[in-house]
């Protein structure tokens, strides 16, 4: 009998209940008990759905009030000592680790492998200690057991936890902390065993990475230690093939192994050959990262022989946690029937698992109707006329090297741009968005409901743009933005105006904490029917004599933050989007906009996990950006923005993008991320973020000056811009003005210091 399970499910609630209750808690409108009750309700609903679908376990421990890595920081009693919290955290303290407080900046945040999910980075030092901390996991196990469910807890494995952490002191290797960490993991497993748990899923996604030999060797030592706890361990790897780590994973003393059969499907035959005769194989055959229906008939063809061989040692699963897809198609009345028939969100993927389980255990005739519906949907998508556009294909085929380079090299462009804009040393700007106020959201909602017309909506947005421009003028910023009042999301806004994109009504996915995004669905060829931002930018520029940035989202980010079609190479889709953005940039320039920012915060996120796979990606990704940016004249300044990623290992590719100015997130790392740009001798101009916009904390000018002085040690002052880490849409106006006034003061202080130095 084949079994079925999931590695994790969406945790924000069917209607984003977690988001709204988190934010109410932060505002002091509800207490911790009320927030915990919301969390319990979400967990109970998730478990019930898994149970009702016929899955053999409910997964416990995949829920988090902010982030699963932060949960493990709490569980392992290793909160950064700088907060002074001790080993056991209260919920309010847990959130302070993620959001900062008056005394401490928040923990660093970065992308979870190559996804758009962000995790909090554990901070480790040579004297770091671990101990059993927060009891939340054990409480949730008891909660699920009391409700009558068969429980499978999930933990992030000790080696992945250490790998994903960061050394916050020089002169040690965080792998040296493994021997201190393992006893606490063993203690956790022993505690779970006393609760009657039979299986524990232990995630080691770093097995899909290039690992140094010392880290690979540490797996055997670690899992011999953990195996002694007496519970059955399901070692889970995902997001890619195992390659040279395959034998390491299969030989570990664990009771089962989960492999990603979507991204690492070519390895299945090797896995079967080397799988020990007593071990369970959890086959991740349903794509946990995208929203297209899986070919269930193909899964049967692929696994029927394996099922006969393994019987109940074959477990069926998604490739990874379903955290990365929306909860359910049930409420998607706005999607047309044809497109909707091609899709599967988390609930539909769980239903597909149930179909597979029944088919393997009772025979395909038992699920003949479901398989027929599945095949019909796949055939509909393959044959649909709405997917392909001959004009787009012809334009792509006509691309040459002339389309992906500016006319002059950067130094020549820089001279033209400095003459045109005459900006001061340390010019100040923001990343693009300003607070999305209640008035903005209300106007947008009323417009969507038809309560106000297009003219009324445009007037409301113009009032907000005027307000943002007036505030920036009063603050003394040098390069202004229009504030993006009209934009719901930096990807969705553009996708709604491009062909080949579709949008769900409730397809929310957690990005971090309470931040949820609703990724567009790229189902067909992409083109731009008409200008998307020109009228807003032209209006904003008419309000000021200072330079106004046009704000666009880059092709790689549009790709990465969407659910992308899987019937053609991602590179082809990226180039289609690049041509659409290129057309918009050219029109902005013609409208008098002299500075255009093409944001690429997801550029590194798209990087393949294995270094050997990097060159093709970096080639087409940097080319896509250059195509989007190279239709304008040399006196037009192109900016880009990247955030929450490590860049040092891809700096040549970032330089190859040839943006005139790049702005990056650096404040949480105390400018540490900038050092690589200095070592590399990055040729163009840089704006290192001087304060963290994801925290309500407002640093003073002296703190920002200190950060900029650190930046000036590695980047020539004449190349430095001054800006926040990211856009300001999630902040309120009061804190935005307070922080920006400090930022402008910091820039002016540095200018005066430079003038005094020259005078001496």
């Amino acid at each position: 009998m084949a079994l079925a399970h999931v590695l994790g499910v969406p945790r924000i609630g069917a209607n984003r209940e977690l988001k709204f209750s988190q934010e109410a808690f932060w505002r002091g409108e509800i207490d911790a008990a009320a927030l915990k009750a919301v969390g319990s309700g979400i967990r109970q609903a998730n478990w019930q759905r898994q149970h009702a679908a016929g899955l053999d376990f409910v997964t416990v421990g995949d829920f988090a009030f902010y982030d699963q890595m932060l949960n493990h920081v709490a569980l392992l009693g290793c909160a950064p000592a700088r907060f002074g919290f001790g080993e056991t955290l209260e919920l309010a303290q847990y959130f302070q680790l993620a959001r900062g407080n008056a005394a401490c900046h928040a923990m660093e945040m970065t992308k979870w492998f190559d996804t758009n999910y962000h995790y909090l980075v554990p901070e480790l030092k040579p004297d770091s200690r671990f101990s059993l901390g927060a009891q939340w996991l054990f409480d949730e196990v008891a909660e699920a057991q009391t409700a009558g469910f068969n429980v499978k807890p999930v933990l992030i494995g000790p080696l992945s936890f250490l790998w994903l952490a960061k050394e916050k002191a020089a002169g040690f290797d965080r792998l040296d902390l493994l021997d201190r960490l393992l006893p606490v993991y063993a203690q956790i497993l022993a505690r779970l065993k006393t609760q009657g748990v039979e299986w524990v899923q232990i995630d080691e996604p770093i097995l899909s990475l290039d690992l140094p030999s010392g880290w690979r060797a540490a797996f055997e030592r670690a899992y011999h230690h953990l195996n002694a706890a007496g519970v059955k361990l399901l070692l889970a790897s995902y997001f890619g093939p195992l390659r040279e780590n395959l034998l390491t994973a299969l030989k570990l003393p664990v009771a089962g192994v989960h492999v990603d059969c979507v991204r690492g499907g070519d390895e299945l035959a090797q896995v079967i050959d080397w799988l020990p005769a007593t071990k369970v194989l959890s086959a991740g055959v349903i794509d946990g990262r995208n929203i297209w229906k899986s070919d269930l008939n193909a899964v049967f063809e692929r696994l029927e022989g394996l099922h006969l061989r393994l019987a109940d040692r074959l477990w069926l699963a998604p490739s990874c946690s379903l955290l990365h897809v929306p909860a359910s198609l049930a409420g998607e009345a706005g999607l047309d029937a044809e497109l909707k028939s091609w899709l599967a969100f988390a609930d539909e993927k769980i239903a597909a698992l149930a179909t597979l389980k029944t088919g393997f255990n009772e025979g395909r005739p038992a699920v003949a109707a479901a398989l027929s519906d599945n095949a019909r949907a796949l055939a509909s998508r393959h044959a649909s006329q709405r997917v392909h556009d001959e004009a787009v294909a012809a334009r792509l085929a006509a691309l040459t090297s002339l389309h992906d380079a500016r006319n002059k090299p950067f130094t020549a462009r820089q001279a033209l741009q400095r003459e045109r804009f005459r900006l001061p040393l340390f010019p100040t700007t923001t990343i693009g968005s300003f607070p999305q106020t209640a008035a903005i959201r209300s106007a947008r909602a009323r417009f969507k409901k038809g309560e106000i017309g297009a003219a009324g909506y445009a007037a409301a947005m113009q009032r907000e743009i005027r307000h943002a421009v007036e505030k920036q003028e009063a603050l003394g910023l040098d390069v202004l933005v229009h504030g993006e009042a009209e934009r719901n999301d930096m990807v969705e806004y553009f996708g709604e105006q491009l062909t080949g994109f579709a949008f769900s009504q409730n397809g929310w996915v957690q990005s971090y904490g309470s931040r949820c995004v609703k990724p567009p669905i790229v189902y067909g060829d992409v083109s731009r029917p008409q200008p998307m931002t020109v009228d807003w930018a032209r209006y904003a520029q008419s309000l000021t004599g200072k330079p106004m940035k046009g704000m666009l989202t880059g092709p790689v980010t549009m790709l990465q933050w969407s659910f992308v079609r899987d019937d053609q190479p991602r590179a082809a889709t990226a180039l289609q989007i690049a041509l659409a953005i290129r057309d918009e940039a050219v029109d902005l320039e013609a409208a008098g906009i002299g500075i255009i920012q093409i944001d690429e915060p997801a550029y590194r996120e798209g990087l393949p996990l294995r270094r050997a796979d990097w060159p093709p990606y970096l080639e087409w990704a940097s080319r896509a950006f250059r195509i989007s940016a190279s239709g304008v004249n040399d006196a037009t300044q192109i900016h880009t923005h990247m955030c929450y990623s490590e860049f040092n290992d891809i700096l040549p590719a970032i330089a190859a993008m040839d943006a005139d100015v790049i702005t990056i997130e650096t404040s949480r790392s105390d400018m540490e991320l900038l050092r690589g740009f200095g070592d590399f001798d990055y040729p163009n101009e840089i704006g290192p973020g001087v304060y963290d916009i994801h925290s309500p904390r407002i640093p003073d000018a002296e703190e920002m000056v200190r950060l900029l002085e650190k930046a000036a040690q590695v980047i020539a002052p004449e190349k430095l811009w001054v800006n926040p880490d990211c856009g300001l849409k999630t902040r309120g106006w009061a804190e935005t003005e307070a922080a920006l006034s400090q930022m402008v003061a910091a820039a002016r202080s540095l200018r005066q210091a430079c003038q005094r130095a020259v005078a001496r």
Side-chain angles (χ1 to χ4, degrees), residues 597-642:
Q597 183 169 308
I598 305 175
D599 288 333
E600 284 292 20
Y603 186 84
R604 197 193 193 288
E605 175 188 312
L607 194 68
L609 297 180
R610 299 292 193 140
R611 189 174 289 269
D613 301 327
W614 287 8
Y617 165 78
L618 292 172
E619 191 280 327
W620 65 253
S622 61
R623 183 177 185 229
F625 180 86
R626 292 195 305 273
I627 286 171
S628 72
S630 296
V632 299
N633 295 318
D634 291 318
T636 295
Q637 190 174 73
I638 296 293
H639 290 221
T640 191
H641 174 67
M642 297 181 177

Side-chain angles (χ1 to χ4, degrees), residues 691-709:
Y691 78 92
D692 175 22
I693 65 88
H694 295 96
S695 170
R697 176 176 176 270
I698 299 171
D700 58 28
E702 288 75 15
E703 182 176 328
M704 297 187 201
V705 166
R706 181 186 64 81
L707 288 174
L708 286 165
E709 287 174 341

Side-chain angles (χ1 to χ4, degrees), residues 416-424 547 593-595 635-637:
L416 291 171
Q417 293 159 15
R418 287 182 172 175
E419 175 64 24
R420 177 179 183 180
F421 300 116
R422 298 186 177 276
L423 296 171
I593 304 301
I595 300 179
T636 295
Q637 190 174 73

